[in-house]
Amino acid sequence: MVDVSQHELVPEHSVLDKAAIEDVLDEYDIDRTDLPKIKRTDPALPDDAEVGDVIKIVRDSRTTDQAIVYRMVVD
Amino acid sequence: MTNPSALGLDADVEAVVEDTDLPPRLKDRVYETLAERDELTIEQADDVAQAVESQYRDTRVDPLDPVGTVSAQSIGEPGTQLTMNTFHYAGVAEIDVTQGLPRLIELVDARKTPDTPTMTVHLEEEYATEREKAHEVVWKIEATKILALGDVSTNVADMRVVISLNEDTLDERMITAEEVAEIIEDQLGVTTVQNGTTVEFGPEEPSYRDLLQLVEELREITFKGIEDISRVVIRREEMDDSPFDADEEFVLYTEGSAFGDALAIEGVDASRTTCNNIHEIYRNLGVEAAREIIIEETKNTLVEQGLDNINVRHLMLVADIMTNEGTIESIGRHGIAGNKESVLARAAYEVTVNHLLNASIHGEIDSIDGVIENVIVGRPVKLGTGDVDLRMGSTSGDTTAD
């Protein structure tokens, strides 16, 4: 199977640990469910991601060097 | 998060930076920049922090700014200049690609298949630099039908279909007459007689109708390549950012797309190959890649029509909202506009009566929070100054407002 993460359209995905999730939610003052979503079946998802996890995505941004966004894994 | 003291910055500098309104990531950048300076005074640190903060405030979207409405107008107004009819251009080696307004509509509607699906196939080093090798990949992708390999004739007297294959074409496309015969047996369930480059077969019972039927079916068989790809055009292109520093590379453009299948083919560079079907990208590369391709495709469609002055942020917002739920949703009544909470907002968009009827049958309640609902009922919308409540203070005259 093709390694999806190597494709230039796919930014880096990583699972965020518990403490970091709290920091992020505090920073934006939102609940976890307010985050954008990513499906559990998404081909770019890291293997160890489970439903409810928060994924940190580091994109090459068009408006700045890098943009960091977060998505919550949903069914 | 960066620890300022670990970078050799003292507590005063930290206090100055922490005092600003900057988000944590920008603060980190300020710390890093300050740490690189020698003999930094507290005044200089303050100046830097203040300058960064004022720049940040200037570039920030104001609170309660209706970014969605601004984006809609910013794309909509120049959009009136797009060509109305499907316009095919010969720019990329005679491959037809839908342009202009129809393409833009197709993208925001998130159609399952675009009108003119196409892939841009980049190749791995040894294939991209040699024409022969590049052609090998072409034959693996382009669907080869029987008429491309030779002539088909029917012998009505003996009730036989006779195929005389062209030897050069067979060699070129790397398929043998034996393989052709085998594929025909598999697909049509007939017994073939193969003799050199001639393949013969016929219906079990002599029947003129069955014979013609067989010929029809024979024409449909894909002997080699990917069924959905009817044509491949090979082009030599100058490359600025080639991963293996080649000045020129062969790039393949296809008519029809099968992104997943194409990525798995040997010689295809699976890190740069793309297609114009956002759903295929979504299925194979995930929602983030889908977001990227929506931005790229909408931007290219607009730039192609000379509308290169639309800020990419508007297109990014469209792509963000389309991919917000982890899948691709269309803008419009089947997607984002149709999933709105408010009955009035949905009814204001399309098929008004259906929405109102269903809402009344199910006894839906509208809390009138959104913009559209408030416009309908004639109240100030909750945007900009409309969402800010001011209350007259009732303190005695000598206390000043803080």
Side-chain angles (χ1 to χ4, degrees):
Chain A
M1 194 43 213
V2 181
D3 184 0
V4 168
S5 66
Q6 294 305 310
H7 200 282
E8 58 184 15
L9 286 173
V10 182
E12 181 193 324
H13 292 56
S14 57
V15 180
L16 213 58
D17 62 51
K18 282 247 156 43
I21 293 174
E22 289 309 314
D23 286 345
V24 170
L25 297 180
D26 282 349
E27 182 188 340
Y28 292 106
D29 191 19
I30 53 170
D31 288 330
R32 189 188 281 242
T33 48
D34 295 333
L35 289 168
K37 313 293 188 299
I38 186 166
K39 292 278 179 195
R40 194 174 47 83
T41 50
D42 199 278
L45 215 55
D47 292 338
D48 54 342
E50 282 164 34
V51 172
D53 282 351
V54 173
I55 305 295
K56 177 182 177 180
I57 296 159
V58 183
R59 298 173 183 152
D60 288 337
S61 171
R62 289 176 171 74
T63 52
T64 173
D65 280 358
Q66 282 188 326
I68 300 174
V69 293
Y70 305 91
R71 285 184 185 267
M72 190 182 80
V73 184
V74 292
D75 244 336
Chain B
M1 227 164 278
T2 330
N3 185 355
S5 49
L7 289 166
L9 295 165
D10 59 33
D12 288 343
V13 174
E14 182 177 351
V16 161
V17 178
E18 285 304 320
D19 215 28
T20 60
D21 217 6
L22 296 173
R25 273 196 294 274
L26 275 179
K27 281 181 187 166
D28 287 351
R29 292 277 298 278
V30 174
Y31 286 134
E32 284 165 28
T33 316
L34 292 178
E36 285 168 20
R37 297 279 180 281
D38 298 329
E39 296 173 36
L40 180 83
T41 66
I42 184 70
E43 286 77 23
Q44 287 169 333
D46 191 40
D47 284 349
V48 171
Q50 294 299 328
V52 174
E53 189 186 10
S54 91
Q55 188 86 27
Y56 169 68
R57 282 178 186 280
D58 278 353
T59 53
R60 202 165 53 167
V61 171
D62 291 322
L64 303 171
D65 210 17
V67 283
T69 311
V70 173
S71 282
Q73 293 180 337
S74 303
I75 299 170
E77 194 282 331
T80 58
Q81 298 163 43
L82 291 169
T83 41
M84 294 284 215
N85 47 354
T86 313
F87 175 63
H88 301 294
Y89 78 124
V92 181
E94 311 99 48
I95 293 271
D96 274 357
V97 182
T98 309
Q99 291 284 299
L101 196 62
R103 177 65 182 147
L104 197 64
I105 292 173
E106 196 171 270
L107 284 165
V108 295
D109 275 356
R111 297 265 170 77
K112 284 289 171 225
T113 45
D115 202 25
T116 51
T118 170
M119 293 192 292
T120 306
V121 181
H122 289 267
L123 302 172
E124 279 167 355
E125 181 162 10
E126 60 174 311
Y127 294 88
T129 45
E130 275 179 67
R131 188 174 277 273
E132 305 280 283
K133 288 289 229 176
H135 261 290
E136 275 180 33
V137 182
V138 172
W139 303 134
K140 283 184 200 155
I141 296 176
E142 190 177 272
T144 301
K145 297 280 157 91
I146 194 68
L147 289 177
L149 294 172
D151 297 322
V152 180
S153 53
T154 45
N155 181 342
V156 184
D158 301 335
M159 284 289 159
R160 301 293 275 176
V161 181
V162 184
I163 309 162
S164 50
L165 298 161
N166 183 324
E167 206 165 348
D168 294 341
T169 322
L170 289 181
D171 274 358
E172 189 187 41
R173 304 212 177 195
M174 288 175 296
I175 185 167
T176 61
E178 285 81 8
E179 283 170 333
V180 172
E182 211 168 288
I183 293 169
I184 293 174
E185 288 193 5
D186 273 4
Q187 298 280 325
L188 299 182
V190 291
T191 337
T192 58
V193 182
Q194 183 242 330
N195 191 353
T197 58
T198 322
V199 180
E200 258 189 64
F201 61 91
E204 274 174 37
E205 304 286 327
S207 148
Y208 187 62
R209 234 186 68 207
D210 285 357
L211 187 75
L212 292 184
Q213 179 96 28
L214 281 177
V215 177
E216 276 307 302
E217 284 170 23
L218 176 67
R219 285 171 198 257
E220 295 299 312
I221 301 174
T222 305
F223 286 89
K224 212 160 184 233
I226 304 169
E227 173 123 36
D228 293 327
I229 293 167
S230 53
R231 210 159 66 93
V232 177
V233 171
I234 185 165
R235 282 216 331 168
R236 187 195 217 122
E237 283 188 359
E238 277 180 31
M239 284 281 161
D240 297 329
D241 50 356
S242 168
F244 31 87
D245 291 324
D247 294 335
E248 286 187 329
E249 274 186 42
F250 288 106
V251 181
L252 313 183
Y253 293 90
T254 69
E255 220 164 75
S257 80
F259 189 59
D261 293 342
L263 287 187
I265 288 174
E266 194 196 327
V268 171
D269 186 340
S271 70
R272 294 184 296 157
T273 296
T274 63
C275 78
N276 71 345
N277 182 343
I278 55 178
H279 290 280
E280 276 190 297
I281 297 278
Y282 171 68
R283 271 197 302 276
N284 291 290
L285 299 177
V287 71
E288 278 293 318
R291 175 188 171 277
E292 283 296 312
I293 204 79
I294 293 172
I295 300 171
E296 272 307 304
E297 288 287 323
T298 45
K299 195 178 85 185
N300 292 341
T301 306
L302 295 168
V303 169
E304 194 67 45
Q305 300 278 312
L307 306 175
D308 48 5
N309 52 359
I310 297 178
N311 195 305
V312 72
R313 272 163 254 250
H314 300 309
L315 306 175
M316 287 164 71
L317 183 68
V318 170
D320 275 336
I321 208 77
M322 286 177 73
T323 55
N324 191 47
E325 294 300 315
T327 54
I328 298 177
E329 284 184 296
S330 62
I331 309 273
R333 88 181 121 100
H334 299 293
I336 289 147
N339 292 334
K340 283 184 180 170
E341 196 101 321
S342 160
V343 190
L344 290 176
R346 275 182 278 131
Y349 190 69
E350 274 169 11
V351 286
T352 308
V353 176
N354 292 3
H355 279 300
L356 293 179
L357 181 65
N358 284 329
S360 45
I361 290 170
H362 298 110
E364 275 184 57
I365 293 169
D366 197 322
S367 47
I368 323 222
D369 293 323
V371 177
I372 300 167
E373 303 94 284
N374 279 296
V375 170
I376 292 173
V377 301
R379 290 202 308 183
V381 294
K382 295 226 170 280
L383 282 174
T385 52
D387 198 38
V388 181
D389 291 327
L390 288 180
R391 198 167 291 155
M392 195 81 80
S394 58
T395 51
S396 54
D398 53 299
T399 42
T400 48
D402 189 21

